[in-house]
Amino acid sequence: MDKKRVMVTGGAGFIGSNLILHLVENYPEYEILNVDKLTYASDLRYLSKVSSSSGYTFSKTDITDRASLAKLIRAFRPDSVFHLAAESHVDNSIRGPEPFIFSNVVGTFNLLEELRLYWSEEGMLETARLLHVSTDEVYGTLGSDGLFTEETPYAPNSPYSASKASSDMLVRAYHHTYGMNVVTTNCSNNYGPHQHDEKLIPTVIRTALQHNPIPIYGKGENVRDWLYVADHCRALDMVFHHGRAGETYNVGGRNEWTNIDLVRKICSILDVTVDGGPDGGYARLISFVTDRPGHDLRYAIDATKLEEELGWHNTQSFENDLKATVAWYVARYKK
Ligand SMILES: NC(=O)c1ccc[n+]([C@@H]2O[C@H](COP(=O)([O-])OP(=O)(O)OC[C@H]3O[C@@H](n4cnc5c(N)ncnc54)[C@H](O)[C@@H]3O)[C@@H](O)[C@H]2O)c1
C-alpha cells in the first residue's frame, strides 16, 4: 500500500478526532498531520491514544491564515487531505455569522488555492486528493416525506449551512476549472463521543444529570437522521479511497427521529443506567423553549449512491451505539 501523507483539517474536533483514530488504527503506515486552530469546540485529549504514534503530528494552525497554511503545506507535502475544519454550530452562526464566513468559506478557499498551487508545481493536481466534508443542511428543509439526494438543489437556511454550501461550491469549481481531484460528502447529524457540550445530545445528558430543565426547541417536532460517528468515518474512508473525482456522496443513517422522541429515548437510557434520577424519571425535566429562527423541519438522506457504488452500509446498531454514547457523556459529566 502507498505511504500516504495525509493532512486532516479540524482533527481536534468531534468528527475529526474520531476520523484520526480510525485512520491511525486502519492505516498505520500513513503519515498524518492534524491541522487545527483549537477553537472552543476542540480537545486534543481525544487524541491522547495516538499523540505519541510515530505517524501522527499536530500543528496549531488557523486555515484563515493563508501564509501559515502555505508554509505548512510545503513543509508537510500532503498527497491526501480530509477537510473538516469549520465552525459547526447553527445557533452560534445565528448569533454571530462572521467566524463562519472566515473559517468555512475563506478557510476552504485558502486550502484549495494553496493545495492547487503546491500540487500543480509538483505535477500532482490530478493524483493527490482532497475530501471535503460537508453537511446535509446545505439542502435546506424537507416536508414530512422525501429524501435528500445528490441532485437535490441547494437551499441553505442558516448562516452555518450557507457557509458550508459556499465551501461546497468552491470545491466543485476547483474540480471543474482546474481539474483538482476532489470528492465531497454531505452527511446527516452525527452522534457519538467527543462532541462539544453545546450540541443536542451532550446538552440533554448534561442538563439531565444536573436535574435542570432539558431544553427542546419548539415542540420537539424537528426530524433529524442520526448517524453514529464511526459509521461516518468509515464512509469518509471509503469515499476518500474509492469515490469518483468530482462527485458528491450523501451519507446518512436511514434513522430518523423527532427531537422529542430522541430526547425521551436518552432519558429512558439514563433512567436505567444512572441512579438518583428525579421522581418519575429524567423525561420529567423536558422543557420546551422558543424555537430557533429558521429551524429546518426535517433532514433525511438517501444514501443509495454511496451504498450501491462503494458498498457502504450503516451498521444499524442505533440502540447499542446510543447507549455507548450516553455512557461516554455520563462518564464525562460525572467527573
Ligand atoms: N457534527 C455533525 O453532525 C456534522 C454532520 C455533517 C457534517 N459535519 C461537518 O463535519 C466537519 C466537522 O464537524 P464537527 O462536528 O467535528 O465540528 P467541531 O466543531 O466539533 O470541530 C471542528 C474543528 O475545526 C477546528 N477549526 C474551526 N475553525 C478552524 C480554522 N479556521 N482553522 C483550523 N481549524 C479550525 C476546530 O478547532 C475544531 O477542532 C465540519 O465541516 C461540519 O460542517 C458535521
Side-chain angles (χ1 to χ4, degrees):
M1 200 174 281
D2 296 348
K3 185 169 170 74
K4 290 193 179 295
R5 302 185 63 77
V6 182
M7 189 166 140
V8 179
T9 72
F14 166 42
I15 301 170
S17 58
N18 281 287
L19 176 68
I20 288 178
L21 295 176
H22 170 93
L23 291 174
V24 171
E25 189 180 329
N26 290 282
Y27 305 97
E29 70 282 13
Y30 287 6
E31 292 287 332
I32 296 172
L33 171 66
N34 176 7
V35 179
D36 198 299
K37 170 186 171 181
L38 298 183
T39 67
Y40 74 95
S42 65
D43 193 335
L44 281 176
R45 283 174 301 182
Y46 299 149
L47 294 160
S48 55
K49 229 165 94 182
V50 300
S51 57
S52 51
S53 305
S54 57
Y56 169 81
T57 45
F58 169 71
S59 169
K60 182 173 185 316
T61 300
D62 183 339
I63 60 168
T64 67
D65 174 355
R66 187 162 158 195
S68 298
L69 184 63
K71 237 163 111 181
L72 191 65
I73 287 172
R74 278 168 167 69
F76 181 66
R77 299 177 289 108
D79 53 40
S80 309
V81 177
F82 289 83
H83 176 37
L84 294 94
E87 291 290 342
S88 69
H89 191 43
V90 175
D91 289 345
N92 291 344
S93 83
I94 294 168
R95 279 191 289 268
E98 194 169 345
F100 290 72
I101 304 306
F102 282 114
S103 288
N104 302 4
V105 185
V106 178
T108 300
F109 165 73
N110 288 345
L111 183 68
L112 286 164
E113 186 60 0
E114 288 306 328
L115 288 172
R116 177 180 78 84
L117 293 172
Y118 170 66
W119 285 343
S120 297
E121 281 162 30
E122 298 295 320
M124 297 160 63
L125 198 59
E126 286 165 22
T127 52
R129 165 158 279 196
L130 167 75
L131 167 56
H132 173 59
V133 179
S134 192
T135 166
D136 61 355
E137 299 190 32
V138 298
Y139 298 122
T141 189
L142 289 165
S144 53
D145 54 13
L147 297 170
F148 295 134
T149 73
E150 290 79 1
E151 276 71 50
T152 302
Y154 274 32
N157 288 324
S158 73
Y160 164 65
S161 54
S163 70
K164 291 298 292 186
S166 308
S167 67
D168 295 5
M169 294 297 137
L170 286 169
V171 171
R172 176 190 160 88
Y174 269 66
H175 175 71
H176 289 281
T177 305
Y178 303 112
M180 211 158 144
N181 179 350
V182 301
V183 269
T184 295
T185 52
N186 294 89
C187 187
S188 60
N189 277 40
N190 282 215
Y191 69 98
H194 304 179
Q195 198 165 27
H196 190 264
D197 290 352
E198 67 195 356
K199 299 284 170 64
L200 177 67
I201 290 178
T203 297
V204 170
I205 299 166
R206 189 181 68 259
T207 52
L209 293 177
Q210 293 163 342
H211 291 204
N212 282 330
I214 301 170
I216 310 287
Y217 282 132
K219 294 180 182 154
E221 287 166 345
N222 304 73
V223 176
R224 299 293 181 260
D225 174 359
W226 289 93
L227 180 69
Y228 194 49
V229 65
D231 289 322
H232 186 194
C233 291
R234 272 192 310 106
L236 297 178
D237 177 339
M238 285 177 148
V239 172
F240 176 79
H241 288 100
H242 307 294
R244 285 181 291 136
E247 293 291 319
T248 64
Y249 294 86
N250 282 354
V251 190
R254 298 188 191 279
N255 181 37
E256 292 183 44
W257 287 80
T258 60
N259 285 349
I260 186 66
D261 285 346
L262 178 70
V263 173
R264 287 206 181 102
K265 174 117 193 124
I266 293 170
C267 288
S268 68
I269 295 173
L270 290 173
D271 286 338
V272 293
T273 57
V274 179
D275 291 337
D279 290 344
Y282 284 98
R284 296 196 66 157
L285 297 169
I286 290 172
S287 158
F288 295 103
V289 299
T290 309
D291 207 353
R292 167 193 278 170
H295 202 176
D296 290 332
L297 176 67
R298 178 169 165 260
Y299 305 140
I301 282 278
D302 179 351
T304 304
K305 180 175 174 184
L306 179 64
E307 289 162 353
E308 291 189 351
E309 204 175 300
L310 302 183
W312 176 88
H313 290 282
N314 182 14
T315 48
Q316 302 292 0
S317 49
F318 182 63
E319 285 285 323
N320 289 340
D321 294 337
L322 187 65
K323 277 184 195 153
T325 300
V326 170
W328 191 87
Y329 288 98
V330 168
R332 165 149 127 183
Y333 296 132
K334 283 271 186 188
K335 267 184 196 161

